[in-house]
Amino acid sequence: MTRSAAMLVVTGALLATAGCAADATATPDELRDPCALLPADLLARLAPGARPTASANLGDRSGTRECAVDLTSGTSMRGDLLVTVGVDAEGMYDETWRRNRCSRIAVDLTGEGPGDNSCVAVTPWDGGETRFDGYAWRGDTYEVRVAYQVVKPETLPAGAEADLRGVLASAVDSLPD
């Protein structure tokens, strides 16, 4: 083997390994099922009698897992609870994305956590619903969302805000390293 051929082989091997090692983002199938973050006692308080339903939209480099709870199924309440965890290897959840999500719920982005950035809004009864909306991010790669909308009764159950903030924090903690 000539010296030139040997250099090409070594260079090719180095480039191949560098390309593989450069992306440490978890694959979407490594996201944890967010329904596991809703223990029975929490569901009994926020959605008595309702059952969570898991779904996923997973690609090779980005995707989401979601847990939806329809409060009208088996409860005396009307509304929805949704927990979503997402990953995007291309860094879709950048500062512009994060600020946009926070502006949709009429609050400012904060670096106080959970995660690297987050925003939470509790909206009292407006004639149609009472809401809790929370987003949290880890870098530009991971996003977590917790949404709870109640139409009946007209107020959140006692302790709901603290419970939902806890779910938001637990969802961030559940993200792959």
Side-chain angles (χ1 to χ4, degrees):
M1 181 183 290
T2 67
R3 182 176 172 101
S4 299
M7 289 297 288
L8 281 173
V9 168
V10 169
T11 302
L14 286 173
L15 287 174
T17 359
C20 292
D23 185 7
T25 302
T27 59
D29 63 345
E30 292 178 72
L31 292 172
R32 185 175 173 197
D33 175 5
C35 288
L37 303 171
L38 302 174
D41 63 323
L42 181 132
L43 286 172
R45 289 190 303 277
L46 301 182
R51 299 201 186 283
T53 303
S55 64
N57 181 11
L58 306 174
D60 292 333
R61 301 191 36 84
S62 65
T64 59
R65 288 194 187 271
E66 183 174 279
C67 183
V69 183
D70 179 2
L71 275 60
T72 59
S73 65
T75 76
S76 60
M77 301 174 73
R78 287 183 42 221
D80 300 285
L81 170 60
L82 179 72
V83 181
T84 307
V85 293
V87 61
D88 184 82
E90 304 304 320
M92 177 174 85
Y93 306 122
D94 62 9
E95 186 170 349
T96 301
W97 175 275
R98 296 187 299 265
R99 288 192 184 286
N100 179 284
R101 290 296 176 262
C102 293
S103 72
R104 287 182 180 190
I105 59 173
V107 294
D108 293 328
L109 181 67
T110 178
E112 296 175 13
D116 299 329
N117 296 115
S118 63
C119 56
V120 171
V122 179
T123 309
W125 181 256
D126 66 359
E129 65 184 8
T130 301
R131 295 189 62 89
F132 173 98
D133 291 285
Y135 289 94
W137 297 271
R138 188 184 306 151
D140 293 349
T141 306
Y142 297 101
E143 178 180 70
V144 170
R145 177 180 181 216
V146 175
Y148 184 59
Q149 171 239 348
V150 178
V151 177
K152 179 184 173 187
E154 296 178 2
T155 59
L156 295 178
E161 181 180 350
D163 285 341
L164 295 165
R165 285 179 180 272
V167 171
L168 187 66
S170 295
V172 170
D173 291 344
S174 79
L175 296 171
D177 291 327

